[in-house]
């Protein structure tokens, strides 16, 4: 695999003047929450037109200096990824499918007219940050170190064109459970808003998609639900995804269905992993369209027995209740289903080194 050195680059390591003390870090790791606490270091690599990637630095996490005219602030050239570092059964640390994140990051970059980062450099940057902040990985069951690589356009100009300067940055956050309700299954609201339209940026992991989801997500929470589910833009009929997760439907004959990737749905890495595991279990999995009316009808008839959401942050989460302007319905027993639990257990066991990785998904750091 190519490295920064192969590309004519080397990392500069900057010492941290005052890293977090052991006692304070231990208090944070005892109850890390999600996305509210951060480790000591960050990675920054610059890109300039005509020069390419340069000035790779790992140093103290600190504020980013931006010109008020930086194009990210005006034209939203920004993309990001999310992945986790896990403590393994043998005491080592590992990443789960970072190459898949690197590939998706570059697909997002292409859609947003941003420079691609060599996949090997993406992975190496993450590995270096995890090595620097390995003491920030929580020990608690279900906890991990959440990694957030992102790229922003930094050129100072006011004109609608791709920027000529960018920063690639990686930060890390110790993470516990994503959902705070503690309920055995989440409740979701069927939104009247649209997340993405054909030809748009639905398949890219860019900030604008998530900004547009905040109002419908707030509406769902105000109505007492955990998440929002979006329907397609054309007919407002077909189920697409939640605010930040893909969906799976489990039927009474043991078959599974997940909405197909049409360019309006984010191609989730957890979604793809579960496709593999389910087929490995001998299950029939279909990628296709599924309407909100069919979802309601199948749940009420008993044909649909489980629904679960999946993504890096929440891993696998059962969906118990679905509500919308046409009423509400319960999926199965309203709690975790057997197949949901089985697939989640297998995935987590692989991620944490408790089950053999036969797919080459685990990348050990040491």
């Amino acid at each position: 695999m190519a490295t920064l050195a192969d590309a004519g680059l080397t990392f500069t390591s900057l010492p941290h003047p005052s890293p977090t003390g052991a006692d304070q870090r231990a208090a944070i790791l005892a109850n890390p929450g999600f996305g509210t606490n951060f480790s000591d270091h960050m990675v920054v690599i610059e890109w300039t037109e005509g020069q390419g990637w340069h000035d790779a630095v790992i140093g103290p996490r600190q504020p980013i200096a931006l010109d008020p005219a930086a194009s990210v602030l005006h034209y939203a050239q920004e993309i990001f990824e999310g992945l986790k570092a896990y403590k393994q059964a043998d005491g080592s640390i590992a990443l789960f499918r970072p190459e898949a994140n690197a590939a998706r990051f570059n697909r997002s970059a292409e859609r947003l007219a941003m420079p691609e980062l060599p996949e090997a450099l993406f992975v190496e940057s993450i590995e270096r940050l995890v090595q620097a902040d390995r003491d920030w990985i929580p020990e608690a069951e279900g906890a991990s170190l959440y990694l957030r690589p992102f790229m922003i356009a930094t050129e100072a100009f006011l004109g609608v064109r791709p920027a000529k300067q960018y920063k690639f940055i990686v930060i890390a956050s110790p993470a516990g459970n994503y959902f705070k309700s503690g309920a055995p299954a989440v409740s979701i609201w069927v939104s009247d808003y649209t997340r993405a339209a054909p030809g748009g940026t639905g398949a890219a992991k860019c900030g604008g998609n998530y900004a547009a989801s905040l109002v419908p997500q707030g509406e769902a929470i105000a109505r007492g639900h955990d998440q929002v589910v979006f329907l397609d833009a054309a007919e407002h009929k077909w189920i697409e995804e939640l605010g930040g997760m893909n969906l799976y439907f489990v039927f009474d004959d043991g078959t599974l269905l997940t909405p197909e990737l049409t360019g309006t749905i984010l191609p989730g890495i957890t979604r793809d992993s579960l496709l593999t595991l389910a087929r490995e279990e001998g299950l029939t999995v279909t990628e296709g369209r599924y309407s909100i009316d069919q979802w309601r009808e199948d749940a009420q008839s008993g044909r649909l027995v489980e629904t679960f959401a999946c993504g890096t942050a929440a891993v696998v989460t059962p969906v118990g209740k679905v509500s919308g302007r046409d009423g509400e319905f319960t999926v199965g027993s309203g709690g975790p289903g057997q197949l949901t639990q089985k697939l989640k257990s297998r995935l987590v066991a692989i991620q944490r080194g408790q089950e053999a990785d036969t797919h080459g998904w685990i990348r050990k750091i040491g």
Side-chain angles (χ1 to χ4, degrees), residues 65-365:
L66 283 178
D67 189 286
S71 56
V72 65
L73 303 177
H74 303 271
Y75 307 112
Q77 268 192 293
E78 183 272 352
I79 59 173
F80 67 97
E81 274 297 323
L83 64 159
K84 292 178 177 178
Y86 301 89
K87 284 282 181 69
Q88 298 288 283
D90 62 5
S92 64
I93 299 169
L95 302 172
F96 182 73
R97 302 189 67 182
E99 296 86 357
N101 290 96
R104 188 173 65 181
F105 189 78
N106 281 337
R107 292 195 298 270
S108 297
E110 180 181 15
R111 181 62 183 85
L112 273 291
M114 303 172 80
E116 292 187 15
L117 180 75
E119 291 181 12
L121 305 189
F122 178 100
V123 174
E124 183 175 350
S125 298
I126 290 164
E127 287 182 337
R128 286 179 178 268
L129 181 59
V130 172
Q131 287 168 342
D133 285 340
R134 60 189 301 130
D135 291 341
W136 282 90
I137 303 178
E139 298 281 357
E141 182 179 352
S144 59
L145 184 66
Y146 183 81
L147 298 150
R148 172 53 59 88
F150 63 101
M151 190 197 319
I152 58 174
T154 56
E155 182 188 1
F157 83 104
L158 299 178
V160 183
R161 61 160 172 78
K164 298 180 180 180
Q165 294 176 324
Y166 299 86
K167 287 183 186 289
F168 170 74
I169 301 170
V170 190
I171 58 176
S173 173
N177 291 326
Y178 183 75
F179 289 109
K180 302 176 179 63
S181 67
V186 296
S187 171
I188 61 178
W189 173 257
V190 182
S191 180
D192 294 324
Y193 289 89
T194 297
R195 176 188 174 273
T201 59
K205 200 167 177 65
C206 59
N209 291 345
Y210 293 81
S213 75
L214 297 179
V215 166
Q217 177 66 27
E219 182 181 70
I221 292 172
R223 293 174 178 272
H225 303 285
D226 302 290
Q227 260 286 352
V228 63
V229 62
F230 293 104
L231 305 179
D232 72 293
E235 299 180 73
H236 206 67
K237 170 182 179 180
W238 305 104
I239 298 159
E240 296 217 317
E241 63 176 271
L242 301 191
M245 291 177 284
N246 299 118
L247 280 170
Y248 271 86
F249 306 93
V250 183
F251 300 98
D252 58 3
D253 60 359
T255 62
L256 286 83
L257 170 69
T258 188
E260 62 186 332
L261 301 178
T262 59
T264 59
I265 296 174
L266 186 71
I269 293 164
T270 305
R271 172 191 181 276
D272 181 69
S273 303
L274 291 170
L275 276 174
T276 299
L277 294 181
R279 288 169 177 157
E280 207 171 67
E281 293 285 337
L283 301 169
T284 299
V285 190
T286 302
E287 298 178 74
R289 299 204 296 179
Y290 193 54
S291 71
I292 180 62
D293 291 338
Q294 193 66 52
W295 190 5
R296 180 185 298 106
E297 181 181 325
D298 288 344
Q300 291 173 341
S301 71
R303 177 174 178 258
L304 179 79
V305 293
E306 302 176 40
T307 298
F308 61 86
C310 60
T312 297
V315 192
V316 176
T317 301
V319 174
K321 185 172 73 172
V322 182
S323 300
R325 300 196 187 281
D326 295 330
E328 68 178 46
F329 59 90
T330 299
V331 177
S333 65
Q338 290 184 349
L339 186 55
T340 299
Q341 293 290 83
K342 182 176 184 178
L343 290 175
K344 178 178 181 178
S345 295
R346 279 208 64 198
L347 180 61
V348 170
I350 293 170
Q351 289 173 335
R352 299 190 175 276
Q354 298 160 346
E355 180 177 323
D357 171 27
T358 60
H359 307 286
W361 289 341
I362 297 300
R363 185 179 179 87
K364 290 283 188 78
I365 295 178

